[in-house]
């Protein structure tokens, strides 16, 4: 029973590691989309989110039926595993809609650069974290088997 628990926890941890990267990739896609909408159409935040493709919101981890009214509402609805990505998106959500178009475009570029850097970091760490998780789980299973004998 303990061996099965270790295997289950390993699979859950592996899912969490993968989901962390996919959410950050979704946030990068959302930032790129937002920048394009502000730059090309000078759209307000609510309209940007209303027109945002559902696939992008799903990539971010948003599961609501209706699009959020603003970025702060979207932030509250998301579960972002990575603390640094969460901080970056919080700052972005807090900043959106508070200045003129040119400044908003510049800020979108800054936040996109930060989030892209975070994405690269998480992607580079992912294989290491997966190997460690599998190694610890296999070790735990072997320890249980040895203790049972």
């Amino acid at each position: 029973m303990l061996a099965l628990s270790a295997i289950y926890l390993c699979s859950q941890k592996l899912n969490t590691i993968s989901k962390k990267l996919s959410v950050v990739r979704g946030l990068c896609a959302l930032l790129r989309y937002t920048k394009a909408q502000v730059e090309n159409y000078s759209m307000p935040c609510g309209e940007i989110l209303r027109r945002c493709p559902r696939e992008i919101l799903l990539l971010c981890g948003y599961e609501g039926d209706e699009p959020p009214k603003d970025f702060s509402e979207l932030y509250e609805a998301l579960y972002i595993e990575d603390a640094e990505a969460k901080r970056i998106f919080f700052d972005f959500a807090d900043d959106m809609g508070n200045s003129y178009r040119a400044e908003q475009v510049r800020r979108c570029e800054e936040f996109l650069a930060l989030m892209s850097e975070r994405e690269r970091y998480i992607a580079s760490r992912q294989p290491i974290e997966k190997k460690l998780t599998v190694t610890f789980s296999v070790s735990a299973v072997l320890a249980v088997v040895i203790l049972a004998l």
Side-chain angles (χ1 to χ4, degrees):
M1 191 64 151
L2 286 173
L4 291 175
S5 296
I7 293 169
Y8 174 75
L9 289 174
C10 175
S11 69
Q12 291 302 309
K13 179 66 176 168
L14 291 174
N15 286 341
T16 301
I17 292 168
S18 296
K19 185 169 171 88
K20 183 191 303 188
L21 181 59
S22 71
V23 166
V24 171
R25 285 184 173 153
L27 292 172
C28 284
L30 178 65
L31 291 171
R32 278 190 290 279
Y33 174 81
T34 302
K35 177 186 171 282
Q37 296 304 306
V38 170
E39 191 170 38
N40 296 327
Y41 306 111
S42 296
M43 248 184 235
C45 296
E47 189 66 20
I48 290 170
L49 288 171
R50 193 177 68 73
R51 292 184 180 197
C52 183
R54 180 114 176 103
E55 298 79 36
I56 292 177
L57 292 175
L58 289 173
L59 278 173
C60 294
Y62 183 74
E63 297 174 352
D65 293 330
E66 295 294 319
K69 293 177 184 62
D70 59 22
F71 285 98
S72 295
E73 184 181 318
L74 177 61
Y75 172 81
E76 293 297 325
L78 296 181
Y79 179 72
I80 303 171
E81 181 78 27
D82 184 69
E84 182 64 15
K86 187 174 188 169
R87 185 198 60 77
I88 293 167
F89 192 70
F90 174 80
D91 291 345
F92 170 76
D94 191 47
D95 189 60
M96 273 308 285
N98 295 330
S99 59
Y100 292 106
R101 186 182 73 80
E103 177 66 15
Q104 286 298 155
V105 170
R106 188 183 69 72
R107 297 293 289 158
C108 284
E109 289 170 349
E110 287 176 10
F111 287 117
L112 180 57
L114 291 171
M115 194 66 77
S116 295
E117 181 181 321
R118 194 67 194 160
E119 177 190 4
R120 284 189 298 277
Y121 175 78
I122 293 169
S124 71
R125 299 278 309 154
Q126 189 178 36
I128 297 165
E129 288 183 23
K130 284 184 175 183
K131 284 179 187 175
L132 279 172
T133 299
V134 170
T135 301
F136 285 137
S137 297
V138 169
S139 299
V141 169
L142 288 175
V144 168
V145 169
I146 290 171
L147 287 175
L149 296 177

